[in-house]
Amino acid sequence: MKAAVIGSLACALFVGPLLPSQAAKDRIEFSAAGDFSEAALRSGVKATKAVCDSVDNAVWASTSDHGEECLRYWAGGFNGKPAPRALVFFHGDLLTETGVPPAYVNSSMTKLQRMAEDKARQLDAPYVFVGRPGTHGSSGDHRQRRRLAESALISAALDQLKGKLQVDEWVVAGQSGGGHVTSSLLTQRADIVCAVPTSAPSSPRMRWTLRGMKKDSTGFVDSYEPSEHLQGAKVHPKLRVFVLGDPNDSNVLWPSQIIMAEKLKQAGIPVEILRGEGSGPRAHGLPQSARLVASWCYHALSTGEILRKAAAGLKG
């Protein structure tokens, strides 16, 4: 039960003012035990490569244009063997209208490792949970989510994980802000065989415009727009994408989710739209369904079979 709570807690996108970004020197020091406090989410976390390299479940993500950070991960189902294909999941945002979810504050490295192992067994697939920059003990600044640096750093982390875990190709899924990461990675990587952006603001600009706002809820106006960068992107020759969401979602409005499907079709990339029943008062949470659909992809079910299974109902 605890694993399910941790896995589904981060469904809401933060709506409200954001303080100006602090310099890295003002961030909280990286801790091997992980800092799951609200202060860490709001201040950011700083790390060095030397410290990062001393931690087993961490990789040093270095980019040419967007800095470098230490990203934490939890893996299950590998058993010390190479994995030609693995499923990676990205959680939603953690700064919500009502503060940081209690389940997150009560997280720990042990609980997250147990969750990864549980998910691997449930999905019958090698499974990786990655802490986005500034969350789950990863260094970085969570307040700068949905900007290009976030997905660039995560992409660099996936490069490191491919070697560390001996993975050839990825099935990628993400809920809400993690769905934005999922969509963004499609414009940056050619080793994603299947992707499930879920309740995802694949056009942050459309999302804030539809809600009558003049900028993203983070306070920035330069959010990365993955839906505008698909043409000419190098993708896996067998890539399939399943855009999953609830049309009644009042957090990430439906047009800002399905624009990704429209742009994928224009780029000639196979894509299907799946409708689920989102949890919570805003019909927004679908993390369990995101992982389930991703597992169907991992097991190479045909698109027709995935559509038939989805038609039976996707909830929460």
Side-chain angles (χ1 to χ4, degrees), residues 111-129:
K111 290 179 181 179
L112 288 167
Q113 182 57 45
R114 187 182 305 126
M115 179 193 71
E117 293 168 358
D118 288 345
K119 294 302 180 187
R121 283 192 293 269
Q122 293 166 13
L123 303 173
D124 191 23
Y127 177 87
V128 185
F129 179 89

Side-chain angles (χ1 to χ4, degrees), residues 183 186 193-200 202 238-246 254 257-266 268-276 293 296-297 301-311 314:
S183 293
L186 292 176
V193 70
C194 187
V196 189
T198 302
S199 303
S202 294
K238 295 183 179 180
L239 173 64
R240 293 183 293 168
V241 182
F242 295 88
V243 174
L244 169 61
D246 187 331
W254 190 236
Q257 295 187 45
I258 62 172
I259 187 174
M260 195 63 180
E262 297 167 3
K263 297 297 185 180
L264 284 161
K265 288 178 182 177
Q266 292 175 14
I269 298 170
V271 58
E272 300 289 345
I273 296 175
L274 303 180
R275 292 168 174 79
V293 173
W296 297 338
C297 260
L301 271 62
S302 70
T303 296
E305 191 168 358
I306 289 175
L307 292 175
R308 285 192 293 274
K309 283 179 169 288
L314 292 170

